[in-house]
Amino acid sequence: MDIEKVGQFIKELRIENNLSQNQLSEEIHVTRQAVSNWENGKALPDSNVLLILSNLFKVSINEILSGKRLTKEDNLEEAK
Protein backbone atom coordinates (compact mmCIF):
# COMPACT_ATOMS: atom_id res chain seq x y z
CA MET A 1 0.00 0.00 0.00
CA ASP A 2 1.36 3.38 -1.06
CA ILE A 3 0.26 5.90 1.58
CA GLU A 4 0.98 8.85 -0.73
CA LYS A 5 -1.13 7.31 -3.51
CA VAL A 6 -3.97 6.76 -1.04
CA GLY A 7 -3.76 10.39 0.03
CA GLN A 8 -3.75 11.65 -3.54
CA PHE A 9 -6.83 9.54 -4.31
CA ILE A 10 -8.68 10.91 -1.28
CA LYS A 11 -7.80 14.41 -2.45
CA GLU A 12 -9.07 13.65 -5.98
CA LEU A 13 -12.33 12.28 -4.58
CA ARG A 14 -12.76 15.32 -2.35
CA ILE A 15 -12.19 17.72 -5.25
CA GLU A 16 -14.50 15.74 -7.57
CA ASN A 17 -17.20 16.19 -4.94
CA ASN A 18 -16.53 19.94 -4.67
CA LEU A 19 -15.51 19.78 -1.02
CA SER A 20 -12.82 21.76 0.74
CA GLN A 21 -10.69 20.01 3.34
CA ASN A 22 -12.68 21.84 5.98
CA GLN A 23 -16.04 20.78 4.51
CA LEU A 24 -14.92 17.15 4.31
CA SER A 25 -13.63 17.22 7.87
CA GLU A 26 -16.95 18.58 9.12
CA GLU A 27 -18.92 16.02 7.07
CA ILE A 28 -17.04 13.04 8.52
CA HIS A 29 -16.33 14.47 11.98
CA VAL A 30 -12.53 14.64 11.91
CA THR A 31 -10.17 17.60 12.07
CA ARG A 32 -9.12 19.47 8.95
CA GLN A 33 -5.56 18.58 9.93
CA ALA A 34 -6.44 14.87 9.73
CA VAL A 35 -7.68 15.35 6.16
CA SER A 36 -4.52 17.29 5.32
CA ASN A 37 -2.35 14.53 6.81
CA TRP A 38 -4.09 11.88 4.68
CA GLU A 39 -3.79 13.93 1.52
CA ASN A 40 -0.10 14.61 2.15
CA GLY A 41 0.69 10.95 2.79
CA LYS A 42 1.47 11.46 6.47
CA ALA A 43 -1.31 9.25 7.83
CA LEU A 44 -4.10 6.89 6.83
CA PRO A 45 -7.72 7.18 7.90
CA ASP A 46 -8.88 4.80 10.64
CA SER A 47 -10.99 1.83 9.57
CA ASN A 48 -14.25 3.45 10.66
CA VAL A 49 -13.38 6.61 8.69
CA LEU A 50 -12.51 4.48 5.64
CA LEU A 51 -16.05 3.11 5.74
CA ILE A 52 -17.51 6.61 5.97
CA LEU A 53 -15.33 7.83 3.08
CA SER A 54 -16.30 4.80 1.04
CA ASN A 55 -20.01 5.53 1.51
CA LEU A 56 -19.62 9.27 0.97
CA PHE A 57 -17.60 8.98 -2.24
CA LYS A 58 -19.31 5.82 -3.54
CA VAL A 59 -16.06 3.86 -3.89
CA SER A 60 -14.92 0.69 -2.17
CA ILE A 61 -12.49 0.63 0.72
CA ASN A 62 -10.21 -1.43 -1.53
CA GLU A 63 -10.23 1.40 -4.06
CA ILE A 64 -9.31 3.95 -1.38
CA LEU A 65 -6.48 1.76 -0.10
CA SER A 66 -5.20 1.01 -3.60
CA GLY A 67 -5.31 4.70 -4.46
CA LYS A 68 -7.33 4.25 -7.65
CA ARG A 69 -10.66 3.17 -9.05
CA LEU A 70 -10.62 -0.55 -9.64
CA THR A 71 -11.88 -2.21 -12.79
CA LYS A 72 -13.73 -5.52 -12.82
CA GLU A 73 -10.45 -7.15 -13.86
CA ASP A 74 -8.66 -5.61 -10.87
CA ASN A 75 -11.33 -6.96 -8.54
CA LEU A 76 -11.04 -10.43 -10.06
CA GLU A 77 -7.27 -10.36 -9.57
CA GLU A 78 -7.69 -9.38 -5.92
CA ALA A 79 -10.12 -12.24 -5.38
CA LYS A 80 -7.51 -14.82 -6.44
Side-chain angles (χ1 to χ4, degrees):
M1 174 182 349
D2 183 338
I3 190 170
E4 290 179 4
K5 195 172 177 183
V6 172
Q8 184 60 41
F9 188 55
I10 291 172
K11 182 177 182 177
E12 289 170 15
L13 292 168
R14 175 180 61 76
I15 291 169
E16 284 174 17
N17 285 271
N18 298 312
L19 295 170
S20 67
Q21 285 185 343
N22 196 54
Q23 289 169 321
L24 177 59
S25 69
E26 289 175 1
E27 179 78 24
I28 63 174
H29 307 290
V30 299
T31 64
R32 188 210 48 83
Q33 188 63 40
V35 174
S36 177
N37 285 340
W38 305 333
E39 291 184 0
N40 290 307
K42 295 180 181 178
L44 285 172
D46 293 333
S47 57
N48 60 328
V49 175
L50 283 171
L51 182 58
I52 294 167
L53 290 171
S54 172
N55 290 328
L56 178 66
F57 294 136
K58 309 277 189 279
V59 296
S60 70
I61 292 173
N62 284 344
E63 288 175 302
I64 295 172
L65 293 177
S66 68
K68 65 179 184 177
R69 286 190 166 79
L70 299 176
T71 64
K72 290 180 184 178
E73 291 78 23
D74 291 331
N75 287 325
L76 289 173
E77 273 300 309
E78 285 189 15
K80 291 181 181 178

